[in-house]
């Protein structure tokens, strides 16, 4: 009986831990700037293979750091990001990369990008904002990649970019929507139709399925998917997306306009699993009254400012894994649930338990809250904040003022930084040795019969 | 597919069986107190990143959980495999 009780408690513990981990992973961290919430969880999630290309950030979450630096730069240049109508991000994902963040706006048809050269420590890092005129979009000449990406033969110099932004202050309409989903991108047309597109990517193929949620009410809505990808390290653009029914534009950009409810499947050809592979995905939805598949304008009666909502999902690596084919693939499909299954499963359980179990579920919520704080803490800027402590009964007399200490200030000294690196190395060694010791004990317990 | 069906069955069954439960929430004052307590204790949790490399913990902790429960995982896998007549595991 005691043994069963112990096993049961053990099972409950593992079950709850699984709930915690799944639930916490789904937490989308809101990043508020000027009262606009940015959901950038995807940018630094484990599924983003972006940790090794930046020489400035040797930790996971490089994209987030870059994003924050971009915001900082935008503030310095008095650009109100809350007024942007759309946002685009791209990472080349290579070791000697540039890095792009872009903004597509309307009706000015200006874009603003963020670019820096990570290989040149003497560059104007952390970034150069630049603008360019995108009126040419209306002509049907796809200059999308040329204008947005710095990886082409017309790449301006750092100074040119910098001068451009200094001379062209960008003002955008006050409508900004920006949402990242784990593996779903969304576009909302001004007529209310919402388009979704889901991509599955495992470095050997990409499948995209797009649909509009409320198509019956908005039969004039079209969804446009742009796909483009590059393969490095030689800065050579490689056509890799091979839609089943495609139209080739300018020899480098695949454009596919689909009728709603028609699933589309894209397959990559010519990709050899190179880590440097990257694909860009763009989705836009709008009411296309002209029937032009290259439609970018705003339909009559709709507000320009609300027309475009661009989303990007890129470079999410080999997250889906290679499950292979044949018998193994069949068994995999038979027994291994989809990766989103457990997320949905435990989220449903969490929701149900919160609403039905009341205070009985409070300890678990307390535990989730605790783990949420631990996992979502910003460890990149370790700091201690104390106070302020006041006495409410004595006119809020402050007995301990607010004290903030940033540990990273210590590391500005080179010697201290070296000592800290060595210290972390030793701690890592201790942890790894302890882990190996634990593995050995477990091995002894299983194989050697040790209790 | 099989595991999905089994888990969904248990979930639906438990939701149905215990659907009559509708217990009151903890009073807001107490939950706020707990939240304040967590704020007090964990407001400086980021300082941990200075003393331990978080990436190491992110890798080792899940591995440790798996290793500690490896016998349970083994039992579960074998339990599933034994259900497949094609493999012939007794």
């Amino acid at each position: 009986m005691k043994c069963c009780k112990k096993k049961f408690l053990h099972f409950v513990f593992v079950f709850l831990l699984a709930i915690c981990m799944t639930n916490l992973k789904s937490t989308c961290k809101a990043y508020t700037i000027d009262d606009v919430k940015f959901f950038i969880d995807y940018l630094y999630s484990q599924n983003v293979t972006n940790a090794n290309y930046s020489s400035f950030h040797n930790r996971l979450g490089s994209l987030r750091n870059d994003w924050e630096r971009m915001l900082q730069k935008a503030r310095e240049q008095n650009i109100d990001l809350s007024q942007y109508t759309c946002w685009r991000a791209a990472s080349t994902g290579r070791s000697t990369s540039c890095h792009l963040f872009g903004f597509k706006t309307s009706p000015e048809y200006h874009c603003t990008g963020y670019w820096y050269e990570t290989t040149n420590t003497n560059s104007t890092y952390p970034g150069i904002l630049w603008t360019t005129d995108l009126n040419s979009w209306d002509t049907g000449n796809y200059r999308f990649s040329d204008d947005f990406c710095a990886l082409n033969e017309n790449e301006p110099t750092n100074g040119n970019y910098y001068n451009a932004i200094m001379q062209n202050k960008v003002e955008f309409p006050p409508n900004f929507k920006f949402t990242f989903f784990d593996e779903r991108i969304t576009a909302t047309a001004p007529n209310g139709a919402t388009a979704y597109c889901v991509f599955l990517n495992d470095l050997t193929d990409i499948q995209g399925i797009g649909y509009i949620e409320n198509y019956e009410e908005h039969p004039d809505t079209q969804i446009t998917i742009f796909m483009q990808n590059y393969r490095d390290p030689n800065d050579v653009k490689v056509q890799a997306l091979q839609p089943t029914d495609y139209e080739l534009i300018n020899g480098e950009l695949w454009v596919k306009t689909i009728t709603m409810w028609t699933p589309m499947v894209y397959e990559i050809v010519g990709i050899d699993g190179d880590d440097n592979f990257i694909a860009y995905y763009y989705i836009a939805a709008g009411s296309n009254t002209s029937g032009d598949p290259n439609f970018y304008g705003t339909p009559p009666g709709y507000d320009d400012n609300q027309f475009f909502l661009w989303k990007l999902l890129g470079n999410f690596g080999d997250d889906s894994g290679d499950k292979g084919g044949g018998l193994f693939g069949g068994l995999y499909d038979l027994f291994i649930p989809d990766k989103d299954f457990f997320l949905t499963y435990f989220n449903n359980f969490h929701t149900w338990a919160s609403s039905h179990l009341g205070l009985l579920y409070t300890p678990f919520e307390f535990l989730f809250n605790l783990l949420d704080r631990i996992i979502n803490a910003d460890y990149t800027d370790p700091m201690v904040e104390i106070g302020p402590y006041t006495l409410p009964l004595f006119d809020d007399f402050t007995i301990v003022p607010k004290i903030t200490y940033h540990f990273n200030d210590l590391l500005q000294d080179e010697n201290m930084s070296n000592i800290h690196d060595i210290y972390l190395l030793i701690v890592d060694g201790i942890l790894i040795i302890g882990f190996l010791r634990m593995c050995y004990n477990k091995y002894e317990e299983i194989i050697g019969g040790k209790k | 597919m099989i595991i999905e069906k089994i888990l969904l069955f248990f979930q639906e069954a438990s939701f149905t069986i215990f659907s009559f439960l509708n217990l009151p929430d903890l009073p807001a004052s107490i939950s706020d107190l707990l939240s304040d307590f967590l704020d007090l204790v964990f407001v400086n949790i980021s300082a941990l990143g200075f003393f331990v490399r978080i990436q190491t913990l992110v890798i080792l902790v899940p591995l440790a959980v798996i290793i500690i429960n490896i016998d349970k995982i083994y039992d579960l896998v074998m339990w599933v495999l034994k259900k497949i007549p094609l493999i012939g595991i007794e």
Side-chain angles (χ1 to χ4, degrees), chain A residues 73-319:
Chain A
K73 200 68 180 178
R75 279 178 173 166
E76 291 173 4
Q77 301 183 15
N78 294 322
I79 295 176
D80 184 3
L81 292 177
S82 67
Q83 296 182 353
Y84 283 80
T85 53
C86 57
W87 184 81
R88 185 179 79 91
S91 164
T92 60
R94 58 198 177 101
S95 57
T96 57
S97 73
C98 75
H99 201 105
L100 276 174
F101 290 95
F103 296 87
K104 166 71 177 65
T105 67
S106 62
E108 289 87 354
Y109 294 101
H110 285 175
C111 76
T112 300
Y114 169 75
W115 183 89
Y116 68 85
E117 176 59 62
T118 58
T119 57
N120 180 8
T121 55
N122 295 320
S123 70
T124 54
Y125 182 84
I128 307 101
L129 287 159
W130 53 278
T131 63
T132 185
D133 187 353
L134 289 185
N135 278 321
S136 57
W137 283 30
D138 285 338
T139 67
N141 176 23
Y142 280 80
R143 294 181 56 199
F144 188 83
S145 62
D146 291 340
D147 286 328
F148 270 84
C149 187
L151 288 176
N152 59 62
E153 63 277 8
N154 298 320
E155 177 179 339
T157 63
N158 294 355
N160 288 342
Y161 279 139
Y162 187 73
N163 290 334
I165 187 61
M166 295 305 288
Q167 294 169 7
N168 299 280
K169 182 182 177 184
V170 186
E171 294 181 359
F172 298 104
N175 280 292
F176 182 90
K177 292 181 178 178
F178 174 72
T179 309
F180 262 94
F181 296 96
D182 276 351
E183 291 190 6
R184 187 179 72 169
I185 49 181
T186 310
T188 303
N191 61 7
T194 301
Y196 298 102
C197 192
V198 182
F199 289 99
L200 306 174
N201 180 2
D202 64 359
L203 288 182
T204 55
D205 83 3
I206 288 179
Q207 292 183 329
I209 299 174
Y211 61 93
I212 281 191
E213 190 177 50
N214 43 2
Y215 177 62
E216 289 87 353
E217 293 84 0
H218 307 284
D220 56 345
T221 303
Q222 288 194 349
I223 185 172
T224 304
I225 308 295
F226 307 89
M227 287 188 172
Q228 179 183 16
N229 71 306
Y230 302 131
R231 186 172 59 176
D232 285 323
N234 298 319
D235 284 1
V236 177
K237 297 174 183 178
V238 177
Q239 300 164 16
L241 293 175
Q242 182 74 45
T244 53
D245 179 14
Y246 59 85
E247 182 180 1
L248 182 62
I249 305 294
N250 283 348
E252 61 184 38
L253 179 67
W254 299 96
V255 178
K256 172 67 176 170
T257 303
I258 63 167
T259 304
M260 294 309 95
W261 301 114
T262 302
M264 58 179 187
V265 177
Y266 290 89
E267 292 179 358
I268 287 181
V269 293
I271 292 298
D272 55 2
D274 187 347
D275 287 343
N276 293 317
F277 164 77
I278 182 165
Y280 299 135
Y281 309 89
Y282 315 103
I283 180 173
S287 178
N288 182 356
T289 54
S290 68
D292 178 7
N294 302 329
F295 181 71
Y296 283 107
T298 304
Y302 292 124
D303 184 358
D304 246 344
N305 305 343
Q306 297 176 349
F307 182 56
F308 275 107
L309 176 62
W310 290 66
K311 302 297 174 188
L312 167 81
L313 186 66
N315 196 20
F316 44 95
D318 55 354
D319 177 53

